Every structure is written in structure tokens, then in C-alpha cells.
Amino acid sequence: MSGQNNLESIEDVAEFYAAIDRASLRHKISAERPYVYVTMEVYDAKNGIRGAGGLGVLAADTRRVAEQLEIPFITLTPFYQEERHQEMNNLVPHDIAVAKKPSDFGFHEIGEVNIKIANSPDSILNIYEKQLGSTRFLTMTEPNFGQLYSGDSSGDHRLYQMVSLGLGGYKALKMLGVKPSVMQLNETATVFATVARLDELCVNGMDIYEAIVYVRKHNLYTNHTLVQAADSEFSFEQFEKFVFPNIKSPALRHYIGGLFRDDRLRMSNLTIELAEAKNGVSKLHARVANYRDLSGERVNFKAITNGIDMNTWVMPEILNLYKSKNIVDKFNMPSENYVDIINSLSANEIKSLKKLGRARLNAELKNRKDQYGNAVQIPDDALVFNFKRRFVAYKRPWMPFEDIDEIKAILQENNAHYVMAGMMAGNVGAGDQTYDHLQDMLTKIKYDDFLRERVHYITDYDENLASAMSIGADISINVPEVGWEACGTSFMKDIANLTILVSTNDGGVADLEPAPIMEVRGRVYDEEIASMYEQMRLAADMCRDDEKWAKEVKRELSGYLPIISGSRMMQDYLRFLFKTEE
Ligand SMILES: *Cc1c(COP(=O)(O)O)cnc(C)c1O
């Protein structure tokens, strides 16, 4: 990872709170009453917790930004003792599990909590913590905890993991002697943290309905999923086994029991009942996410678009430029006149940074393997396209290979390489749509003499690769099917690192209207494919002319900088969460 020591020391976070007109926050959030962020997934390999994708990257970045802004903040998350990696043999992806221990990453054990399971012995969770500035990780684990998202999303083991995170995690907070000032529930798998809080209030004598009113006011449900039906749901019997034995208040058990419909309860329905504040992660997503509460009312999501931790994702030399020219301030917030300053940057000064970026990409690629098991090096004079996204159908990683002659011509005419990466879902094989598409794409590439040399699928996608690819590429391809991307943050990594974005207008990209990108559009798939090739050619042309190139990257950066800024995201959350109490 780059840029970790690029931080300026911030003497007093009061200045940040003042800057966002919430000076009184200093009294609302404290070490004893921290901002608690609950998440099944964190993507922070340096701290030993490596998630699966965007949700985890967001969680990791949110904590990092909180640390930089000296916000008292706790990330409540499981520590998975097995981490999933992917390698490729004969073009077939294979999962490998790598063992991890909290003690290898500076975590300290602070105790144990028991999770009761009906008709089974208790499960004993070990609680570990790690302090990082004003923030800390508080994690729970045990040898049979399993991998992130292992098993069926509505299966027993998943419910066990959710209960361990929520009910176990809340007990861990008590162990530390803290009470959440607010709890942000990063997706519905975290809802049992709130159930635990309710239980505590009821056991202490509060009426169940008063307790619900209280927790609703202190919870934020952050939704990343477009389709409610994709959410986990469990049967009453599963609750009797894993949840109810851990709830002391009969009134609370009775209340939850009353939320079941046809013997099942969807986790989004439970979360919606228990959180007044709800948000989606881009403007488009908040608008289109069609969720209903148990009475059938459509849920209103506030839009708070994801941002990224610029210290983590922007090449240090580029971030230094942004800071020294006052494009961003010491909080990594866009300055007042950032647009003018960006426009005044010379092509030369930013082009040299991209050269440096290419060297960083090659340094990363030296330690990585392509689809044939070889390390790749990109010649200095070549143009680089990147595609780096999880391999799921809606992100359409195969789209640039729909017309092999066309992609070949584009790469040939522009002396270009195409570097792609992205994990496949685990445990899939022939018959799975994404798997078959990947096989088909890689096979076409392998049997073409030119493409075999120019298209590199780098295996075991992770954040180091994501970072190096956004820093070292010239043009990034991002083509989710419109309406399917909740936000996406990899496009932000590209723009922040002066990489031209060729993209459909979806997720966070669509926050701006019109979107200042090389937009891929079309009413049907074939039109979109043609539009994508056209934009790839136009972008490649720009890269041959420094002035045109600079104009485009500056246009994209000045448009998206406020969206990209993770501090802006934190500001939005703080304003949203504390608005009623000012
Ligand atoms: C940034 C990042 C993501 C998020 O990707 P999107 O496709 O934008 O959702 C996922 N995985 C890794 C490793 C990343 O670095």
C-alpha cells in the first residue's frame, strides 16, 4: 500500500468539526461514547483482515479516515482465521485458504464471550483488539469461525457468524466499558449488534417500545444491495437455535418473533425496524434501491456516496502535489478553489507522475502471476488499459472481448496492453455463468498469438494490485450494467491517480450529471459494446497528445474530487447522524 506516511498531523480535530459546522460533536463522540461501525467485512490486509471486495474496502477506508480525523471510532468485525486466495492452473481458478492469527497482526486478546446455541455446547469467542490512533479494531474469532461468506447466505453457519459478530461484539464493547454514541450497521448482517443493545436496555428495565425508539435514533443502516430478495433470511427454528438463547428479555424475544412472516424473517426487515437513519451509497443507488418494510411501505434511503481514503489509494507523489498546491486541504477535503488549481496544472508536471506510476505498476507485477503463471512487465512506451473488478456478471469483465478483432485492433494500433484482475466467486465451476464467461474469454486470448502477449489476467486480485493498476494504467475500463452498481470505488482510485475513465454511467459515477468521463452508453448491449470501443479509441488518441490527455484527466478529477474524498464521506455521515441533535 502506498502513502501511509503522508499524513499531516492534525493538532486538534475540533478544527475539522468546526469546518463541518458541528463543533459540538466533540462532546457527542468520545472515547467512552465512540462511533461504532459494525461490519462482516473489512479489507485491510496490513491488519490481517482481508475482505472480499468493495464493502470491505469501504469499511477499512472509513476507519482510516476516522483515524486521520482523530474521531473516536471502533470497527466491530470478525477476525477470520482463514483467508481466501486464488490461483490459476490451466486457466482454471482455484481457491486456496491461508491461515491467519490475530497475534501476528498486533492484536491483543482481552477476553472471551460465550454464544449459546440450543441443544449444543456454547461457542466460545476470543475477543481481540487493536488500537490505531483514536480508532480500534474490536474483533471476535474462534477456530471454527470459518471464512468470510462461507456457506449459504441463509444457512445456519451464516446466522452463527452474524450472531457472533452482533451479540458477541456487543458484549466485547461492554468489556471495554464503552457505549456506542451511534452504531453504523454496514449491511444487514450486522443487525444483532442492535438486538444486543435492545436486550441490554430491556434487561435494565426499559419498556421494549421505549427501547426500540431509543435504539432507532442511534442506528444507521447502510445499504449496498439493490435487491431486497438477495438478502439473507432465516426461519423461526434457526432463530430458536442461534438467536433466542442469547436474548435475555422475554419481551424482546416476543417482539422479534412477531416480525416473522410465513415462518421467515429477512435481515433487511429486522434492520429497517431498528434503524431510523438509512442510507444508500450513491445518489442513483439511494434512488433505485427498492426496499419495503414489513408493512409494505417503501423505504427512504438518504444518498451518501462512498469515498476513498486518499492517503491509502493516491500515489504519494500525486497526493503531495494535491496538498502542496492546495487542491486538497490537510483533511484531504477539496479546497475552496480546487477546480481552478487543477486547471492550472501543466501537462508536463502531471505526466511525469504517471511515468512514476508505471514503474510502481511494474514493481507490483514483478511479484504477481498472470493466467499462465508468469510475471508480467509492461514496456515503458506501451499504453495500458486496466480492468480490475470482482468477476461478477453485472460488472461484465468480458465485455471488451465480445469482439476479438476489435479489441485486437485497438491494442495493436495503440501499442497497448490490457491488464485485468478480479476474483471469481469461490467454489464455482463449469455451468456457472461467470465461470464459463471467464473460461471462454481466457481461451480466446490464449489461442490468439497477439492477445496472448498483450492481455494479462493477473491472479489473486487484492488491494496492492488494485492500487498499482490505478496508479500505473492510462485508461481504466468500468462497464457495469447500468442500474446494478451500488457505488463502486475502483473508478475513484483511477481518477484520483490521473487515469482516464471509460465507464458506463452507473453507481457513484452517475452522481454527476452529465458525468465527466468517457461515457459508454447504448440502449442495448450491442450499442454499449460499440460505444465502449469508440471511447477506448478516443481515450487512446488522447493519450498520444499530452495537452488533450491533461485536459481530460483534469476534467475528470475536478468533477469527481469531492466525491472521491473519504473525508467528505465522513462529513456527510456526521452531518446526517447528528443533525437532529444540534
Ligand atoms: C477498490 C477495491 C474494490 C472495490 O471495487 P469496486 O469494483 O469499485 O466495487 C474491491 N476489491 C479490491 C481489492 C479493491 O481494492
Side-chain angles (χ1 to χ4, degrees):
M1 297 304 294
S2 57
Q4 295 293 358
N5 46 15
N6 232 350
L7 265 176
E8 288 184 35
S9 145
I10 293 160
E11 295 304 328
D12 187 355
V13 75
E15 204 187 323
F16 175 75
Y17 292 155
I20 66 168
D21 311 320
R22 290 293 182 276
S24 63
L25 275 184
R26 213 149 44 117
H27 309 293
K28 302 224 167 88
I29 313 179
S30 64
E32 297 73 39
R33 305 262 302 153
Y35 187 140
V36 174
Y37 189 96
V38 197
T39 183
M40 260 294 166
E41 183 182 340
V42 166
Y43 206 124
D44 185 345
K46 226 179 95 196
N47 287 307
I49 314 178
R50 193 180 109 148
L55 184 101
V57 171
L58 176 75
D61 277 8
T62 305
R63 190 207 57 76
R64 291 171 181 135
V65 169
E67 182 183 347
Q68 288 154 33
L69 298 173
E70 298 181 11
I71 296 170
F73 188 96
I74 293 182
T75 303
L76 205 57
T77 196
F79 189 99
Y80 300 92
Q81 301 190 26
E82 262 187 17
E83 182 177 282
R84 190 166 79 90
H85 289 259
Q86 208 156 58
E87 61 180 16
M88 197 163 257
N89 297 322
N90 296 320
L91 304 188
V92 176
H94 289 281
D95 281 6
I96 20 186
V98 174
K100 297 263 144 159
K101 284 208 305 281
S103 53
D104 293 341
F105 295 90
F107 282 83
H108 306 286
E109 183 160 6
I110 58 167
E112 295 176 350
V113 303
N114 288 29
I115 296 293
K116 295 197 175 76
I117 302 169
N119 306 319
S120 298
D122 285 5
S123 169
I124 299 172
L125 298 170
N126 304 95
I127 306 296
Y128 289 85
E129 67 107 26
K130 181 174 182 178
Q131 183 89 34
L132 292 146
S134 64
T135 72
R136 74 218 295 186
F137 279 114
L138 189 56
T139 71
M140 65 294 309
T141 189
E142 50 93 3
N144 299 315
F145 196 78
Q147 288 188 15
L148 172 63
Y149 304 138
S150 59
D152 182 334
S153 69
S154 295
D156 281 4
H157 192 71
R158 191 66 64 81
L159 183 57
Y160 163 70
Q161 287 186 334
M162 291 180 182
V163 165
S164 299
L165 167 61
L167 293 158
Y170 196 77
K171 285 187 187 173
L173 286 172
K174 301 219 52 160
M175 231 179 240
L176 289 180
V178 303
K179 279 203 170 122
S181 149
V182 287
M183 271 207 270
Q184 181 166 359
L185 305 173
N186 194 32
E187 269 301 347
T188 62
T190 62
V191 68
F192 295 108
T194 276
V195 170
R197 197 173 199 198
L198 265 177
D199 195 33
E200 180 185 34
L201 294 172
C202 292
V203 166
N204 289 343
M206 201 186 265
D207 168 79
I208 172 89
Y209 293 100
E210 276 174 43
I212 290 169
V213 168
Y214 179 85
V215 298
R216 276 179 63 83
K217 278 202 189 315
H218 293 83
N219 271 339
L220 167 65
Y221 160 31
T222 299
N223 169 281
H224 303 253
T225 316
L226 280 136
V227 184
Q228 190 166 16
D231 191 31
S232 302
E233 58 166 23
F234 300 101
S235 68
F236 193 79
E237 198 185 338
Q238 287 176 302
F239 263 60
E240 281 188 312
K241 181 157 188 202
F242 296 99
V243 182
F244 294 148
N246 297 291
I247 296 180
K248 292 198 189 80
S249 159
L252 178 56
R253 288 197 299 264
H254 185 257
Y255 163 77
I256 293 175
L259 302 177
F260 280 76
R261 299 289 181 270
D262 295 329
D263 195 44
R264 302 190 76 75
L265 177 57
R266 222 176 255 303
M267 291 303 95
S268 52
N269 282 125
L270 181 57
T271 314
I272 288 162
E273 292 302 313
L274 300 180
E276 196 169 286
K278 304 166 196 74
N279 78 289
V281 290
S282 71
K283 286 183 184 168
L284 180 62
H285 170 56
R287 209 162 56 233
V288 302
N290 185 0
Y291 275 62
R292 307 269 159 181
D293 66 18
L294 284 169
S295 64
E297 258 335 277
R298 190 165 167 168
V299 173
N300 191 15
F301 289 105
K302 157 108 177 159
I304 297 183
T305 304
N306 292 342
I308 56 173
D309 172 29
M310 295 183 69
N311 287 22
T312 297
W313 296 107
V314 184
M315 186 170 83
E317 293 79 359
I318 295 181
L319 188 60
N320 278 344
L321 176 82
Y322 295 166
K323 293 212 171 186
S324 66
K325 298 259 178 183
N326 194 32
I327 291 169
V328 296
D329 67 13
K330 64 181 172 183
F331 305 119
N332 284 335
M333 293 282 273
S335 67
E336 219 167 281
N337 42 357
Y338 68 95
V339 174
D340 293 340
I341 309 174
I342 290 171
N343 283 326
S344 74
L345 296 173
S346 77
N348 272 345
E349 121 188 81
I350 54 177
K351 194 88 201 181
S352 63
L353 290 168
K354 284 305 285 186
K355 267 217 182 81
L356 200 57
R358 177 62 57 80
R360 303 270 158 86
L361 172 61
N362 272 332
E364 180 65 30
L365 291 178
K366 200 176 259 167
N367 303 316
R368 314 290 304 217
K369 289 197 170 109
D370 68 6
Q371 66 268 47
Y372 315 111
N374 304 320
V376 171
Q377 290 289 285
I378 312 286
D380 287 346
D381 61 350
L383 191 78
V384 173
F385 288 96
N386 85 34
F387 183 102
K388 41 167 183 30
R389 322 221 52 209
R390 244 171 350 108
F391 269 55
V392 288
Y394 80 84
K395 295 190 194 251
R396 304 189 291 194
W398 42 79
M399 189 165 153
F401 298 89
E402 292 287 5
D403 184 338
I404 284 291
D405 294 331
E406 189 67 10
I407 184 75
K408 221 169 129 171
I410 291 172
L411 298 181
Q412 252 159 357
E413 287 159 22
N414 295 289
N415 181 26
H417 286 244
Y418 192 97
V419 183
M420 63 193 314
M423 293 282 250
M424 293 275 302
N427 308 317
V428 292
D432 174 84
Q433 190 203 0
T434 320
Y435 177 93
D436 291 343
H437 260 111
L438 179 75
Q439 291 309 304
D440 182 48
M441 183 184 79
L442 292 177
T443 307
K444 281 185 201 159
I445 292 163
K446 181 178 174 178
Y447 290 107
D448 183 285
D449 288 341
F450 177 79
L451 293 177
R452 193 167 54 241
E453 300 297 319
R454 294 300 182 97
V455 181
H456 318 287
Y457 173 79
I458 311 297
T459 57
D460 204 22
Y461 179 50
D462 64 8
E463 79 241 82
N464 294 325
L465 196 52
S467 174
M469 285 169 76
S470 39
I471 287 171
D474 301 290
I475 301 164
S476 176
I477 312 293
N478 176 58
V479 282
E481 189 177 344
V482 173
W484 283 88
E485 190 68 77
C487 178
T489 52
S490 43
F491 84 90
M492 300 181 191
K493 301 168 192 168
D494 291 307
I495 292 176
N497 285 298
L498 309 169
T499 301
I500 293 179
L501 185 70
V502 170
S503 176
T504 47
N505 194 12
D506 197 18
V509 172
D511 261 34
L512 300 181
E513 187 55 56
I517 51 162
M518 309 288 294
E519 190 183 331
V520 173
R521 52 175 110 209
R523 284 159 305 175
V524 291
Y525 189 44
D526 282 351
E527 278 181 22
E528 286 185 284
I529 293 171
S531 167
M532 175 194 63
Y533 288 133
E534 187 188 350
Q535 297 297 347
M536 286 172 79
R537 285 178 189 281
L538 283 171
D541 283 346
M542 285 172 175
C543 290
R544 273 199 299 271
D545 178 324
D546 284 359
E547 291 306 320
K548 281 190 191 151
W549 170 80
K551 198 171 158 205
E552 178 59 21
V553 297
K554 293 196 289 189
R555 180 176 81 106
E556 297 188 10
L557 182 65
S558 31
Y560 286 100
L561 186 64
I563 295 167
I564 290 168
S565 166
S567 302
R568 181 278 312 155
M569 170 179 70
M570 183 58 82
Q571 165 185 289
D572 288 349
Y573 276 120
L574 293 175
R575 283 183 169 160
F576 184 45
L577 283 167
F578 293 98
K579 62 173 185 256
T580 52
E581 299 178 39
E582 245 351 85

